[in-house]
Every structure is written in structure tokens, then in C-alpha cells.
Amino acid sequence: MKIPVIEVFGPTIQGEGMVIGRKTMFVRTAGCDYSCSWCDSKFTWDGTEKHHIQMMEAEEIMQDLREKGADQFGHVTISGGNPGLLPQIDQLIDILHDHDLEVALETQGSRWQTWFTKIDDLTLSPKPPSSGMKTNYQTLDFIIDSLKQKQRGKCSLKVVIFNEDDLGYAENIHQRYPDVSLYLQVGNDEITMDNDQALSLYLLQKYEELIDQVMVSTILKDVRVLPQLHTFLWGNKRGV
Amino acid sequence: MKIPVIEVFGPTIQGEGMVIGRKTMFVRTAGCDYSCSWCDSKFTWDGTEKHHIQMMEAEEIMQDLREKGADQFGHVTISGGNPGLLPQIDQLIDILHDHDLEVALETQGSRWQTWFTKIDDLTLSPKPPSSGMKTNYQTLDFIIDSLKQKQRGKCSLKVVIFNEDDLGYAENIHQRYPDVSLYLQVGNDEITMDNDQALSLYLLQKYEELIDQVMVSTILKDVRVLPQLHTFLWGNKRGV
Ligand code: SF4
Ligand code: SF4
């Protein structure tokens, strides 16, 4: 079964989350079951780039990765959209592993796929209230339980924070899943700003505000607070 | 045996390395067997703050941490100077663990201590040529071998990069210890600049240059490339 791919790029660094800074290639799949208000990759699901979606076999994706990254990479990140919608990612993971590549994947955790257990660095990023989406805790519980029993790699939770409500949501998530590493990420509410320096300085200020809030919390003790490094570096540009 | 402590502060975030972003308290010990040209904590060993050094029992350090961080933290970072010079850190680690706190520590790896095996997040940061120091590979080999056999926590290597020679040094380190996670960190060669915004933008540019170099390397495949987030946030200020 073919995979709907909207872009393949790299090598670059992973700018956020559990493998922040890691040299990696990106494969971005099309399609999402959510429509977050602040989604920074709407082009993967809103139809505006429909003509860019390529239906690719896993083997073709591997070839494309080699063409672009030659022998310069050891890690591939699958993002979206929501790649968790696609059962056929299974074959891609196997091929990547056959090539001795580690595999990271990010999904909001709205659907379970058996291949989640094979991902080396799995990020579950349930969406806080500001997104306008509702978390299905039954599904998320099931995913986290299943991973606890069967995952070969590592798993983390990531929550993007735009406001106080989101921080409260993150506290709930942390209390519900205390054994899963939690990453808090500064929300970028300026996704159309094109002055890169101004954006960096603005987001640094937001980052500092988030740090201040988290530092005084007695609930959010064992967490990491991170920015999106790619936004500091390349602003809102894509494919870097 | 008392521990020479130069500052205790936090909670704040760990700005660099393997637990980047982690909410943590800092305990900084005095004294170093190196004198790196670009050392950003010379005050720990150059005598200028001799009057600030307090000889503290491990239990007193624990009290100080609780006074400053109350119940807001779950992680403590021991840095220096070189805390690896001090056998008596052993007791401090045990007390921190008794309080259910995770412990991170950074040392250049010039001396072995048996308590290295108890550290949860151990960073070995051998110094590249630009530092003016010479790596004792016999010691470093011994440390890494011993950790492989006995460490309970995690271990990583971190190399700060100021120039091409340093990058070559990092490649050697990576080839010598391929199984140990390697973090490359942008060197800050403006440790006296006091315009924070200018410093952030300058270091972002240096970070991007380092990324560009690492991305084309076929040796540095499985690495992370990171900045010092605290410098982006707080410039060259101390104790934040
Ligand atoms: S889940 Fe992710 S890709 Fe889907 S709408 Fe939300 S932010 Fe966008
Ligand atoms: S080893 Fe660290 S503390 Fe010691 S001189 Fe070098 S940079 Fe400074």
C-alpha cells in the first residue's frame, strides 16, 4: 500500500522534542484527523497543496532519502499531518531499520497502530485546549498502556503551551501518565511572521515566560521545557 | 568530608547537553584541574571568588537546595569546575537519591571516581584543541569502559566546537566511542558581551554554521547539535 507523502527533506536537525538537535531526515505524510487552530502544517491536510502529494511505495521513499541525504544520516523522522492514520507506515519502518536507520515519529495519539511499538523515538503530542480539539483519553490510555508492555524504543509525551489552560492540561497529562517523559513546548502564535530575527526574539521571550511558569509549579517537576530550535534558526520557513 | 561549593541555584532549566530543557537545581563545585582558554566558569578555579567558596557537608547542600527550590524540583545538576576531582560527591549523590531526586553531573573525564556509576545523567565533555588542553585518552578509555560495565544511569559525550580542528577532534571521539551518544555544542567565544539580544543573534548564526558543517559529514551521522539555551535566554549572566 502506498504512502501519501507531501515532502522529504534533510539532513537537518530535529528542532524540538525528545531528540532535539538530532541530525535527521524528514518524511512528512499528508492527511490529519484533527484541525488544530494553530496548526503549523495545515498544508498537509487543508487541500492547498493537494497537487504536491505523491503516493509512494516505502521503497521509493527510501530511494528518495538516499538521493537527498546520501550516506550523511542515521536517523529518519516521520511527521505529518498524522502519520498515525496510516497502517502502511509499518513497511517503511522495516525498510528504514534494514538500512540501520533509527526512526522517530510524531502523532497526536488519536489512533493506535501496532507498528508504534517498533518506533525508536515515539512522540505522542496530545493537543491542549487552545487547539480547539478534544483529547480522547480512552485511546491515549490504550496507546500508552500498550507501549508500556511492548515498545522496543523510547516514548515521550509533548504538549505545546499557548496559555494557562494549556498548562493546566499539561499538568493533568503529567499526573495521568507520571512515568512517561513529558516535554513542554512553547507555542508559536506568529506562524506567518516573516521577519526571522524579530520572530526569534519574540519566541525567546515567550520561552522565558513559560520557563517562569513551570519553575514555580510543584506538579510539573520532572519535565523538560523546550523551544522549537528550527524556528529560532529559520523562522517560519519550510523544508529546512 | 566537606564539599567546596561556589554556588547553589535554581530551579531553572538545564540549557545544554543530554538533558537540555530539564527543570533542575544546580550545585557548582569549586576547583578544576584544567584551565581551558575559553572557560566560561573561570571563577570556579582562578581565585577571583575564593571568598565565595563554602565548605559544605552533603546534608547542608541538601538543605540549601530545599530552601531555594522547596518542592518544585525532581532533578539536581552538579557542575563545576570539575566535580570529578571530589571523592566526597559520593555522599551527596546518595542523599539526593534518598530524596527521590535524579542527579546529573558534568566532568571533562580527566579523573575516574567510582560514584560515576551512580549518576543518572552523566556528561563527559573532553576538551577539543581550541581549549589548549590535552585529552588523556587512557583515562577516558578507562572511564567509558567502566561505565559500560557498571553504570546504572545514562552517559553521553559532549564536545564544544569553536573551529575546524575541534570538529576533527569530535570526529575522532565519535569514531573511538561509537556507542556513546555524542552531543556537539556551539562554542561561545563572546563570554563578556553584555548585549543579550546581539549575543543571541550572534550565537544563532554560529549555531547555523555548525549545523551546516555537521550535516554534510558522513562520519558525524548519529549526533545531536545543540546550542546553550541559557545563553539565548539570559546572555552571559550567572545563576539563572
Ligand atoms: S494534529 Fe498536528 S498536523 Fe493535525 S491539525 Fe493538529 S497540529 Fe496540525
Ligand atoms: S574543564 Fe570546564 S571548568 Fe575546567 S577549565 Fe575547562 S571549561 Fe573551565
Side-chain angles (χ1 to χ4, degrees):
Chain A
M1 229 161 97
K2 296 193 177 192
I3 298 167
V5 174
I6 205 154
E7 55 187 4
V8 172
F9 64 95
T12 184
I13 56 146
Q14 170 56 263
E16 58 188 62
M18 68 192 293
V19 282
I20 190 166
R22 184 73 155 85
K23 185 179 185 177
T24 193
M25 298 289 298
F26 279 91
V27 175
R28 196 190 282 281
T29 62
C32 191
D33 47 329
Y34 274 20
S35 52
C36 301
S37 60
W38 36 251
C39 177
D40 60 2
S41 26
K42 286 208 168 91
F43 61 92
T44 62
W45 53 264
D46 69 359
T48 49
E49 301 199 13
K50 237 179 166 164
H51 53 289
H52 278 147
I53 301 171
Q54 285 190 64
M55 298 304 297
M56 296 172 85
E57 296 288 352
E59 201 49 82
E60 288 176 90
I61 296 174
M62 188 62 237
Q63 278 166 28
D64 198 12
L65 287 167
R66 281 285 175 230
E67 263 165 49
K68 286 168 176 150
D71 192 31
Q72 295 151 236
F73 64 100
H75 190 269
V76 176
T77 302
I78 304 169
S79 72
N82 181 12
L85 297 176
L86 307 166
Q88 64 269 39
I89 293 287
D90 202 7
Q91 303 148 42
L92 178 59
I93 299 166
D94 288 346
I95 289 177
L96 294 169
H97 281 160
D98 288 346
H99 283 247
D100 272 335
L101 299 164
E102 287 189 279
V103 184
L105 185 135
E106 178 169 339
T107 173
Q108 66 264 46
S110 55
R111 305 277 179 93
W112 163 254
Q113 297 288 348
T114 50
W115 51 255
F116 281 2
T117 59
K118 296 197 240 173
I119 299 288
D120 300 287
D121 307 301
L122 180 64
T123 298
L124 298 171
S125 54
K127 303 304 171 190
S130 63
S131 69
M133 301 294 112
K134 251 196 125 53
T135 303
N136 181 333
Y137 281 104
Q138 223 180 328
T139 307
L140 197 58
D141 286 351
F142 177 80
I143 292 174
I144 288 176
D145 266 5
S146 308
L147 290 170
K148 240 177 234 169
Q149 290 168 40
K150 292 176 259 177
Q151 203 197 7
R152 289 177 235 169
K154 278 170 270 171
C155 164
S156 73
L157 282 157
K158 186 178 76 179
V159 178
V160 183
I161 309 291
F162 285 84
N163 59 34
E164 294 270 347
D165 281 356
D166 292 355
L167 204 63
Y169 174 89
E171 290 182 340
N172 282 338
I173 288 280
H174 192 42
Q175 290 176 312
R176 192 174 186 110
Y177 313 111
D179 304 332
V180 185
S181 308
L182 176 61
Y183 290 73
L184 303 180
Q185 179 173 303
V186 194
N188 176 3
D189 52 9
E190 287 290 351
I191 53 177
T192 56
M193 193 189 274
D194 56 9
N195 180 333
D196 289 358
Q197 291 203 344
L199 181 66
S200 297
L201 295 173
Y202 171 73
L203 291 173
L204 268 173
Q205 186 202 313
K206 300 285 279 185
Y207 180 37
E208 187 168 3
E209 286 166 18
L210 178 59
I211 291 171
D212 286 345
Q213 286 175 299
V214 175
M215 290 311 119
V216 295
S217 168
T218 54
I219 296 172
L220 298 169
K221 289 201 292 193
D222 299 311
V223 297
R224 301 220 208 177
V225 191
L226 287 172
Q228 294 179 297
L229 290 177
H230 51 281
T231 316
F232 285 169
L233 287 162
W234 302 299
N236 289 314
K237 268 192 275 314
R238 267 172 57 191
V240 276
Chain B
M1 229 161 95
K2 296 194 179 193
I3 298 168
V5 174
I6 204 153
E7 55 186 5
V8 173
F9 64 94
T12 183
I13 56 146
Q14 168 58 263
E16 58 187 64
M18 68 192 291
V19 281
I20 191 167
R22 185 73 153 85
K23 184 181 187 175
T24 194
M25 298 291 296
F26 279 91
V27 176
R28 196 190 282 280
T29 62
C32 191
D33 47 329
Y34 275 20
S35 54
C36 302
S37 60
W38 35 251
C39 177
D40 60 1
S41 26
K42 286 207 168 90
F43 61 92
T44 62
W45 53 264
D46 69 359
T48 49
E49 302 199 13
K50 237 180 166 167
H51 53 289
H52 278 147
I53 301 171
Q54 287 191 63
M55 297 303 299
M56 296 172 84
E57 296 288 353
E59 200 50 80
E60 288 176 90
I61 296 174
M62 188 63 234
Q63 278 166 26
D64 198 13
L65 287 167
R66 281 284 174 231
E67 262 164 48
K68 286 167 177 152
D71 192 31
Q72 296 151 235
F73 64 100
H75 190 269
V76 175
T77 302
I78 304 169
S79 72
N82 181 13
L85 297 176
L86 307 166
Q88 64 269 43
I89 293 286
D90 201 7
Q91 303 146 42
L92 179 58
I93 299 167
D94 288 347
I95 289 177
L96 294 169
H97 281 160
D98 287 347
H99 283 249
D100 271 337
L101 299 164
E102 288 188 280
V103 184
L105 185 135
E106 177 168 340
T107 174
Q108 64 265 45
S110 56
R111 304 277 179 94
W112 162 252
Q113 297 287 350
T114 49
W115 50 255
F116 281 2
T117 58
K118 297 198 238 172
I119 299 288
D120 301 288
D121 307 302
L122 180 65
T123 297
L124 299 171
S125 54
K127 303 304 172 189
S130 64
S131 69
M133 300 295 114
K134 252 197 123 53
T135 304
N136 182 335
Y137 281 105
Q138 224 179 325
T139 307
L140 196 57
D141 286 353
F142 177 81
I143 293 175
I144 288 177
D145 265 5
S146 308
L147 290 171
K148 240 177 233 168
Q149 289 166 41
K150 293 176 258 176
Q151 204 198 6
R152 290 177 233 166
K154 279 169 269 172
C155 164
S156 74
L157 283 157
K158 186 178 76 178
V159 179
V160 183
I161 310 290
F162 285 84
N163 59 33
E164 293 270 346
D165 281 356
D166 292 355
L167 204 63
Y169 173 90
E171 290 183 341
N172 283 338
I173 288 279
H174 192 43
Q175 289 176 313
R176 192 174 185 108
Y177 312 111
D179 304 332
V180 185
S181 307
L182 176 61
Y183 290 74
L184 303 179
Q185 180 173 303
V186 193
N188 176 4
D189 52 9
E190 287 290 352
I191 52 177
T192 56
M193 193 188 273
D194 56 7
N195 179 334
D196 289 359
Q197 290 204 345
L199 182 65
S200 297
L201 295 173
Y202 171 73
L203 290 173
L204 267 173
Q205 186 202 313
K206 300 285 279 184
Y207 180 37
E208 187 169 2
E209 286 167 18
L210 179 59
I211 291 171
D212 286 345
Q213 286 175 298
V214 174
M215 291 309 120
V216 295
S217 168
T218 53
I219 296 171
L220 298 169
K221 289 201 293 193
D222 298 311
V223 298
R224 301 221 208 176
V225 191
L226 287 172
Q228 294 179 296
L229 289 177
H230 51 281
T231 316
F232 285 169
L233 286 162
W234 302 299
N236 289 314
K237 268 192 277 311
R238 267 172 59 192
V240 276

